[in-house]
Structure formats: structure tokens, C-alpha cells
Amino acid sequence: DIQMTQSPSSLSASVGDRVTITCRASQSISSHLNWYQQKPGKAPKLLIYAASSLQSGVPLRFSGSGSGTEFTLTISSLQREDFATYYCQQSYTAYTFGQGTKLEIK
Amino acid sequence: EVQLVESGGGLIQPGGSLRLSCAASGLTVSSSYMSWVRQAPGKGLERVSITYSDGTTFYADSVKGRFTISRDNSKNTLYLQMNSLRAEDTAVYYCARDRNTKIAVAEYWYFDLWGRGTLVTVSS
């Protein structure tokens, strides 16, 4: 199985900050990498697919980059509604998720 | 409105069985790739099963031989039959639609639609 490792596991930031979350794959997955946002008690929501493609309706402050084994999710200017847990997921072979990054208000 | 609504969760003793349902509206289950994804309390996400539009199914090793995914096209509903339940099966179970987008020569897959989930608790 392909292992996905996110860093950091948790992050404190302020409204307006620029935030970057990293996801590393245990082997190359090309650009088969997705990012989801999950708020407490809710289902995950797709933000980015194919490493850098923004899902329809997702604000432009979210962006993704990377290929191979290293990927990043960037939020350019944090809004209050962005405080949540973020998961990466590879779809290169089977599906596996990272362990999550909890983004909290500083 | 396109939506998925899960039901059927609850408290069940170890070794017991439970069937989860996922009623779809605004999409056709029979022509979609549909998955069950679970999340143990305070933990990450794990896809446990998928059914493809041709009826092919796949199971995670953790549930193989115990869980069965199926669908009723007349009811536009996805199911997950869970047998021989264990404490480690305790989780919120989500149904989700797999979608793909073709970019250049590659197809990229992702979950674009999720239900709200149903909680399964396995405990004596």
C-alpha cells in the first residue's frame, strides 16, 4: 500500500495568514493527489483534485501543487471558515488518505 | 439537488450484523462508481469498499470476507452488509461518489460527493 504522510499534524494560525500543508507519498503517485477539508461532524469536502485543479465552487485562496512524492496545499489568506482538518488522498492505486492536519485558530 | 443520505447505523454487539443504506438523489447509482468510506472516532479516513458501474467490487483487507457492497438500481440505493462486526469497525460510515476527470492522457479520480454519514458502534 502507498502510505501518505502529512505535516504538520496540527497548526495554529491567524485570520489572514498564509498557510501551507505538506503531503508526502511513500512512492511516486504522479499527480494523483486530492485534498479534502473536513469540519467537525461533517463529511469531507473536495477542495483540490489532480494535485492542482480547484474543485468548482472552492475559493481561489486554496491552491495545490506538487507531483511525484511531494505535494502542498496552500491557503493564501486564512478566513475564519477555513479552520478545519485537511486530508490528502492518493488515487494512483487503490485509495489511501493522509492522517490529517488540524488547522486551529491562534 | 444531488445528495446521498446514509442510514442503518447503530449500536451492535461484537459478532453481529448490520446493513447500511445510502439513498441517492440527483444521480444514478447504477451508472456511478460508489464507495463506502469510514472514519473511526478521532481518526482518519479509510475506504472500505467500492462498486464500479459494471458491478465489479473491491474491499479493503480489513473488511474482506465480512462486508459486502451492493446496490438496488430500482431504489437508486447503495448498501453495505456488515457481518462478524468487531470493535475496530466502530466508525462513521460515509457513502461517496467516485468521479474522474481526464487531463491530457491521464484520468484522475476523486470523491466529489459525500453523504453525511451514519455511526456504527460495535460494543458489548
Side-chain angles (χ1 to χ4, degrees):
Chain A
D1 288 3
I2 298 176
Q3 307 301 316
M4 307 301 294
T5 304
Q6 290 181 232
S7 61
S9 295
S10 63
L11 175 60
S12 294
S14 301
V15 173
D17 284 354
R18 179 183 180 89
V19 166
T20 297
I21 299 168
T22 297
C23 179
R24 290 187 173 86
S26 60
Q27 66 184 73
S28 177
I29 57 171
S30 184
S31 296
H32 296 270
L33 191 283
N34 308 314
W35 289 98
Y36 300 86
Q37 175 194 68
Q38 187 178 34
K39 297 182 178 179
K42 302 293 186 182
K45 172 188 173 184
L46 177 68
L47 299 175
I48 302 283
Y49 62 93
S52 60
S53 296
L54 193 67
Q55 171 68 346
S56 176
V58 174
L60 293 175
R61 62 181 180 272
F62 291 92
S63 63
S65 65
S67 66
T69 61
E70 188 155 334
F71 303 86
T72 59
L73 172 70
T74 299
I75 309 172
S76 60
S77 178
L78 270 176
Q79 301 301 302
R80 185 160 291 272
E81 60 266 29
D82 300 336
F83 291 95
T85 300
Y86 293 84
Y87 292 94
C88 63
Q89 175 230 340
Q90 66 82 17
S91 57
Y92 183 75
T93 176
Y95 284 7
T96 47
F97 291 86
Q99 82 280 13
T101 295
K102 188 173 183 179
L103 179 53
E104 299 175 302
I105 300 175
K106 185 182 286 184
Chain B
E1 182 186 4
V2 181
Q3 65 174 355
L4 301 169
V5 179
E6 303 93 336
S7 60
L11 175 63
I12 187 77
Q13 291 190 336
S17 297
L18 211 56
R19 188 178 80 158
L20 306 183
S21 301
C22 171
S25 54
L27 70 146
T28 303
V29 166
S30 62
S31 59
S32 302
Y33 288 15
M34 300 294 298
S35 290
W36 287 98
V37 179
R38 70 182 179 184
Q39 186 170 35
K43 302 296 184 181
L45 297 155
E46 177 191 23
R47 184 177 72 178
V48 298
S49 186
I50 179 173
T51 180
Y52 300 101
S53 54
D54 67 358
T56 305
T57 58
F58 162 86
Y59 299 93
D61 288 344
S62 56
V63 306
K64 200 173 293 183
R66 300 187 298 123
F67 289 12
T68 303
I69 191 171
S70 64
R71 58 190 185 212
D72 184 331
N73 296 340
S74 66
K75 295 183 178 179
N76 206 26
T77 298
L78 179 74
Y79 300 101
L80 186 68
Q81 178 67 43
M82 305 186 295
N83 299 331
S84 303
L85 282 161
R86 306 166 180 167
E88 55 265 35
D89 296 319
T90 294
V92 175
Y93 285 74
Y94 298 98
C95 63
R97 180 176 67 179
D98 293 62
R99 286 294 294 271
N100 72 315
T101 294
K102 193 167 184 179
I103 301 174
V105 297
E107 284 192 339
Y108 296 90
W109 288 88
Y110 45 88
F111 295 121
D112 75 322
L113 181 66
W114 297 69
R116 297 182 69 174
T118 186
L119 175 63
V120 173
T121 303
V122 184
S123 175
S124 55

